[in-house]
Amino acid sequence: MTITSILRRTFYLFLAVTPCYVAVVHAQSEATGDLTLAAPYGIPPAVFNASISRTVRQSAVYVPGYNLSAPEGFGPSGNGSAVVGWQLGVAVADNVPLTNAAAPGINTAKVIDATTLWLQAPLGVEFLNSTAWKLCATVFPYVNMSAAMQGGENVERRTAVSDSSDSSDSVSGDDSRQNNGNCGAWLTDQCAAALNENALAYGTGADGSCYNMTVPQSCTPFFMHGHGNGTAVVLDKNTLADGRFYAWGSAPTSGDDTAALNSALSHVWPVLLTWIQFGQDGKVFTANSHVSCLAASSNGTGTATERGTFTSAGKPGPVPNQGLAALFATALALLM
């Protein structure tokens, strides 16, 4: 297979209740929505979920959030629905087998490193009032890590360690850095502010729809050329119950590839959460967006108890979600 064919764009979109995954042959692959029904590279979800229970490292940060159970138009400009305790997390598992993967041309004898993103609500506000609220996450997988890691101020801020950091949990020498979700440590404050503004201006429709979003001009140095789009994922009641909403598969590799694992652990994940509240007239009452940046190799401010049907690192997961309804699935066309 030639280099051209290896990098050829390939994607699959399954309609109605069928989840979707996006695959670039021998490059990377993503899956969105209910991960009990979809996995990168078309790996059977049961195989994928059993494999990612062996999490190498995970991290979580507290993020601004709202009471999704609140009624329509509740609170002045929606602020009356603000609550603390929402956590956004990232987890990385290694040596996930490509056995029976559906992506064409894939070497099923290879493995991948899998990254999953999840969101956990504080108790009592996790029940979605779908007539009053819509929650969308926009994930930007193609961060330019070379640019993100440059700059004396950024390096100093990234390596600041909080008093609560546990050095015994380190995976590598740089794992002691503390991350509170502030993207300014990697993408600059100007870029993070522009992402928040663009999410409301271009990533959200007047009817509450959420769209894939292109990064603003001030952010382009921090994203790979030609890969600046973000994937928008609607977090419905099923996805919120499970917690996990996004999975990313690395390029296929041989087992125990230390370099590939370190790359997955240190990768920065900008995630925009857009909270849309409707009024009693069915129109958008208020919308709030906030971008956070995660890396599994950084110590987060949250509890880092991974969400999902399966346990991880000896920590119990929530009760499995058995009621599978019609799901939202979104696909990102990966450009060459």
Side-chain angles (χ1 to χ4, degrees), residues 257-319:
D257 186 334
T258 303
L261 176 58
N262 286 336
S263 177
L265 289 171
S266 62
H267 189 83
V268 177
W269 292 92
V271 181
L272 269 166
L273 291 177
T274 302
W275 310 76
I276 302 169
Q277 187 181 21
F278 299 95
Q280 294 182 354
D281 58 1
K283 297 180 180 179
V284 174
F285 177 68
T286 186
N288 298 275
S289 187
H290 181 79
V291 64
S292 301
C293 287
L294 305 171
S297 60
S298 65
N299 292 320
T301 53
T303 60
T305 301
E306 185 185 354
R307 300 285 289 173
T309 301
F310 293 85
T311 60
S312 174
K315 300 177 180 178
V319 177

Side-chain angles (χ1 to χ4, degrees), residues 14-238:
F14 296 84
L15 302 178
V17 299
T18 308
C20 76
Y21 67 90
V22 178
V24 175
V25 178
H26 290 204
Q28 298 90 21
S29 175
E30 67 180 0
T32 66
D34 193 329
L35 298 186
T36 66
L37 299 180
Y41 292 107
I43 299 171
V47 174
F48 181 77
N49 285 310
S51 299
I52 64 173
S53 67
R54 299 177 286 99
T55 299
V56 174
R57 184 69 190 265
Q58 56 187 334
S59 182
V61 298
Y62 288 106
V63 294
Y66 297 83
N67 181 359
L68 297 179
S69 303
E72 294 87 334
F74 177 76
S77 301
N79 292 330
S81 302
V83 293
V84 298
W86 282 91
Q87 294 183 64
L88 182 66
V90 58
V92 172
D94 65 342
N95 296 327
V96 175
L98 287 166
T99 307
N100 297 322
I106 203 72
N107 184 346
T108 57
K110 296 284 188 176
V111 300
I112 61 170
D113 296 308
T115 300
T116 55
L117 301 175
W118 50 269
L119 183 68
Q120 178 174 307
L123 292 177
V125 303
E126 69 272 26
F127 303 104
L128 177 66
N129 179 354
S130 59
T131 63
W133 290 92
K134 190 171 186 179
L135 174 58
C136 295
T138 303
V139 182
F140 298 90
Y142 290 108
V143 171
N144 179 357
M145 294 300 293
S146 296
M149 293 304 175
Q150 291 177 356
E153 178 185 0
N154 287 353
V155 171
E156 181 179 353
R157 292 166 67 182
R158 280 200 316 274
T159 54
V161 182
S162 75
D163 295 336
S164 61
S165 296
D166 183 4
S167 60
S168 64
D169 194 32
S170 296
V171 176
S172 65
D174 194 31
D175 289 339
S176 60
R177 66 174 183 250
Q178 179 72 17
N179 175 27
N180 64 0
N182 186 347
C183 284
W186 288 289
L187 304 182
T188 75
D189 293 336
Q190 181 184 11
C191 170
L195 282 172
N196 287 329
E197 294 172 2
N198 278 28
L200 299 178
Y202 306 110
T204 305
D207 61 351
S209 300
C210 293
Y211 304 105
N212 293 348
M213 198 184 81
T214 301
V215 297
Q217 187 66 32
S218 60
C219 288
T220 53
F222 304 101
F223 292 82
M224 293 174 61
H225 179 69
H227 292 289
N229 289 343
T231 300
V233 186
V234 173
L235 279 66
D236 62 14
K237 64 178 182 179
N238 296 307

